[in-house]
Amino acid sequence: MKQVVSISLGSSSQDFDFTTVFLGEKLHVRRIGTNGSTATAVKLIKQWDKKAAAIGLGVLKDSYKVGSRRFIEKDSARLKAVATNVPLTMGGRLGDIFQEWAVRHAQTHLGSFFNNARVLFFSGMADYKLALSMAEYTTNLQFADPLLQLGVPKLLGSLDALNLYANGAHYVKDWTLPAAMASGPVKEWTRFVLRKAMQKASVIVAPVHELDDFDLEDLAGKTVITATVNDERIAQFGAKGVATIIDGSPVMHGHVLGANLLDAMIIAATGKTPHDILEDDYLEIITGLGSEPRIIHPNGYRRVNRFAFVIHPLSQEYFKKVKPIEMLSQVSPPVLMNSLEKIMAYAPPFVYSRVTGIQSPTGVEAEGWLISVGGTPREIMRHSPEFTYRRLLDAAAMAKRLGAQIMGLGAFTKVVGDAGLTVAKRAPLPITTGNSYSASGALWAAHDAILRMRLLPVPRGKGKVKFKAMVVGATGAIGSVCARMMARVAEEVYMVSPETAKLLALKESILLESPDAKIFLSAHADRDIAEMDMIVTATSGAGKKVLDIMRVKPGCVITDVARPLDLPASEVAKRPDVLVIESGEIQLPGDVQMKNIGLPKGVAYACLAETIVLALEGRFENFTVGRAIEWEKVREIYQMGLKHGMKLAAISGVNGPFSDDDIARVRELALAARAKLALGSAKPVVKARAAKKVPARKKAVAKAL
């Protein structure tokens, strides 16, 4: 029976031994830890050099390649030279294979898991091949080599920086005094900087024993990529809040084998030297083992995807909430506020709020950032589209650095120019405007409102409902989809837009999908507005008056999709017998924490909700961009929203959410107004009939005479 031993600089508490038949050879395998003592490791190497078939040396690598250069680890070389009779391996090549395979395995099985993740490597030089693989999924890489090797409080932020560092670090390292690195102040400062970097990262790559000294504050919610994680260590990571452990090390006879030990077993069983073992040999042996990398969730399955969403001030009122200028705005004349509005349009983007606590019933979580750009709608429309594109691309760059995997465009940022197409082409991460869910949410809210108003006949069967619906801004991105959806359920649909040719083309397109639809076209809303039971306004009029609310039918439900609103509070107040709702408000799942965006807690506009739904689903793609919205995507995002626990929020108007009593009051006023109109319209009819009878009687008398 051949003896195979792994001598590790790690803890002796992890020691084990077993007997197995491997590649046709019977082996007695054992692992011996030295608790960090190099002297003990030297003694053990000398001892087993006389009786083992092969020796594995754990923790250290004999060499590593960074860029085009290969570096020899001097400490490893000295230990390796102690063995003179039997092959000694550190398993570097095999370890690189296992780690890279583990990362690619996780990316495939968990679905885009590392896309734009913030990854911290304790040593980029030791794990250079893994860093190259990770760079295929994210550029948010940090390397702690200068910090841990030299005590320099600086982390490297790219592979290029790592290459430059590697070319000179081996010289500088020789100048560094070990006593200085081990001194109290330097050690504590190094630990402080490393902990801050760990807390910002979402993925940490480190040898398993180097994570023993870190706690819940540093590791909670993190993904750890490491090796040789046994049951004891899994329990420890679980207690420290680690979300996911990714380990490529194989398991044999209930023990996790380090790459050095498995490599020593291969050497002993085949009789080959380490240099004679080829990649094809490794492939054949690994395939024969039948194992695959482990993805471990020590606290149950948890996945957190990340998003960003761009917002901007809708008016000068926003600036009055900004602390530095809050007092100034209270005493400033309008001309100064106008100047401030123009200046803020040039301000760089900033994080307005962190968003946390979003949790889908599927178990997936989402977190993100609301990033504000400074332009109001008036300023956005005053400048060229390219002006806004530059601000949005700056926001996208910030979102990427934060680790977001998708970014949504809010309010006027999704209207300007080509509605997100250019930004999606140039941005470093996927973009969505949210218009698909805005369209879905608009009719979701309108449907709920009409049911609660109880003014329409109850539909029978699957036929269309007997009501008239109008879409103002029908040729726009959201309006066109609303019109398509209305054509499926409403008896008559009136589409309004000043873009005559687009209206004609839209009607043709809808009739191909719904041949039985009754569609009427108009350039102005006021012509048919008095007959409508439902109106959807989806313009980009930036405050222009799009309809006369005084001509609207009592009890009409108006769904205002436009941002800024087509109907300001002053207009809505004129008609208490009309229900004007702001569509697109979605109740997010979970205990959502974010700054006020003008909606109740946990409620978001549908465009923001679309970004969150895509993040929860792991659909990191350009979902809704451009002015043409696909009906299939509207339906798809609605279904995805239901899957992840999205609900229609309480119906909100310009003054906040409507209660049941509020809607009942609107209904009573509408019924009273309709009764009054019916009574008023009856009198002229009576007079008309009387007027017609007089000439008839005169004619009869004349004839009789």
Side-chain angles (χ1 to χ4, degrees), residues 524-576:
H524 304 284
D526 291 344
R527 192 183 74 178
D528 302 301
I529 199 169
E531 303 175 28
M532 297 301 113
D533 299 296
M534 178 192 291
I535 300 172
V536 177
T537 69
T539 75
S540 54
K544 295 179 182 179
K545 189 172 182 178
V546 298
L547 59 84
D548 184 358
I549 197 170
M550 298 308 296
R551 300 181 64 178
V552 172
K553 178 180 180 180
C556 178
V557 173
I558 301 178
T559 305
D560 194 343
V561 186
R563 295 295 181 272
L565 297 171
D566 282 331
L567 294 171
S570 58
E571 285 289 297
V572 175
K574 297 176 183 178
R575 291 298 302 273

Side-chain angles (χ1 to χ4, degrees), residues 420-620:
L421 281 171
T422 297
V423 176
K425 289 176 183 176
R426 299 184 191 173
L429 73 171
I431 299 294
T432 188
T433 63
N435 282 339
S436 294
Y437 212 22
S438 291
S440 176
L443 296 188
W444 194 1
H447 175 262
D448 191 65
I450 280 183
L451 291 178
R452 292 171 68 179
M453 286 286 284
R454 294 182 290 114
L455 293 174
L456 293 179
V458 178
R460 295 180 180 179
K462 296 183 179 180
K464 294 186 177 182
V465 183
K466 193 174 182 180
F467 76 98
K468 297 181 179 181
M470 175 180 284
V471 180
V472 183
T475 55
I478 298 177
S480 61
V481 174
C482 290
R484 292 180 189 278
M485 296 171 73
M486 287 293 188
R488 294 169 178 254
V489 295
E491 189 177 50
E492 296 179 11
V493 178
Y494 293 73
M495 302 192 307
V496 179
S497 173
E499 299 176 300
T500 309
K502 283 188 176 181
L503 269 182
L504 292 168
L506 179 61
K507 179 180 178 180
E508 287 181 335
S509 176
I510 292 175
L511 289 176
L512 290 175
E513 302 170 358
S514 307
D516 60 337
K518 293 181 180 179
I519 300 174
F520 304 89
L521 308 180
S522 177
H524 304 284
D526 291 344
R527 192 183 74 178
D528 302 301
I529 199 169
E531 303 175 28
M532 297 301 113
D533 299 296
M534 178 192 291
I535 300 172
V536 177
T537 69
T539 75
S540 54
K544 295 179 182 179
K545 189 172 182 178
V546 298
L547 59 84
D548 184 358
I549 197 170
M550 298 308 296
R551 300 181 64 178
V552 172
K553 178 180 180 180
C556 178
V557 173
I558 301 178
T559 305
D560 194 343
V561 186
R563 295 295 181 272
L565 297 171
D566 282 331
L567 294 171
S570 58
E571 285 289 297
V572 175
K574 297 176 183 178
R575 291 298 302 273
D577 58 339
V578 172
L579 187 65
V580 181
I581 64 176
E582 299 178 22
S583 67
E585 288 86 354
I586 303 294
Q587 181 70 51
L588 304 175
D591 183 17
V592 183
Q593 303 295 322
M594 68 177 169
K595 285 185 182 178
N596 179 28
I597 58 172
L599 295 174
K601 185 180 184 299
V603 176
Y605 294 111
C607 48
L608 170 55
E610 177 173 308
T611 309
I612 294 170
V613 168
L614 292 171
L616 290 170
E617 185 71 10
R619 292 279 293 272
F620 307 126

Side-chain angles (χ1 to χ4, degrees), residues 7 47 60 94 117 148 223 295 300 304-305 343 356 363 418 441 444 485 495 517 525 529 591 600 636 705:
I7 299 169
Q47 174 186 337
L60 296 175
L94 194 56
L148 297 180
T223 294
I295 301 173
V304 182
N305 294 335
I343 293 170
T356 60
D418 53 16
W444 194 1
M485 296 171 73
M495 302 192 307
I529 199 169
D591 183 17
E636 185 180 14
L705 291 173

Side-chain angles (χ1 to χ4, degrees), residues 12-183:
S12 59
S13 64
Q14 309 292 322
D15 289 351
F16 59 81
D17 72 279
F18 62 87
T19 301
T20 187
V21 176
F22 181 70
L23 301 180
E25 289 285 342
K26 190 172 184 180
L27 305 178
H28 183 208
V29 180
R30 68 179 65 193
R31 185 261 190 199
I32 305 172
T34 67
N35 299 310
S37 173
T38 305
T40 304
V42 170
K43 291 180 182 178
L44 288 170
I45 293 172
K46 289 179 178 178
Q47 174 186 337
W48 287 98
D49 188 37
K50 299 174 183 177
K51 53 184 179 181
I55 299 173
L57 188 59
V59 176
L60 296 175
K61 274 192 172 183
D62 53 353
S63 65
Y64 45 86
K65 186 177 180 181
V66 179
S68 59
R69 298 189 60 178
R70 180 172 294 280
F71 300 93
I72 304 299
E73 179 60 55
K74 294 180 180 179
D75 293 337
S76 301
R78 283 193 289 267
L79 287 172
K80 198 171 183 180
V82 175
T84 57
N85 297 317
V86 299
L88 184 148
T89 179
M90 296 175 185
R93 283 194 300 154
L94 194 56
D96 287 343
I97 293 170
F98 281 136
Q99 276 201 314
E100 184 179 351
W101 182 25
V103 166
R104 297 187 183 280
H105 175 82
Q107 179 75 358
T108 300
H109 284 259
L110 297 178
S112 304
F113 188 73
F114 296 113
N115 283 27
N116 205 37
R118 300 182 73 173
V119 186
L120 172 66
F121 287 78
F122 275 29
S123 175
M125 294 175 70
D127 293 313
Y128 187 75
K129 286 195 70 175
L130 182 62
L132 287 176
S133 302
M134 191 67 78
E136 297 177 21
Y137 312 123
T138 177
T139 58
N140 280 331
L141 306 177
Q142 282 195 313
F143 306 98
D145 299 68
L147 181 67
L148 297 180
Q149 290 182 0
L150 308 175
V152 177
K154 176 70 175 177
L155 275 72
L156 306 173
S158 68
L159 285 171
D160 289 340
L162 179 63
N163 285 324
L164 288 173
Y165 170 81
N167 287 333
H170 60 292
Y171 297 115
V172 180
K173 190 177 178 183
D174 292 338
W175 304 341
T176 306
L177 296 175
M181 285 294 295
S183 66

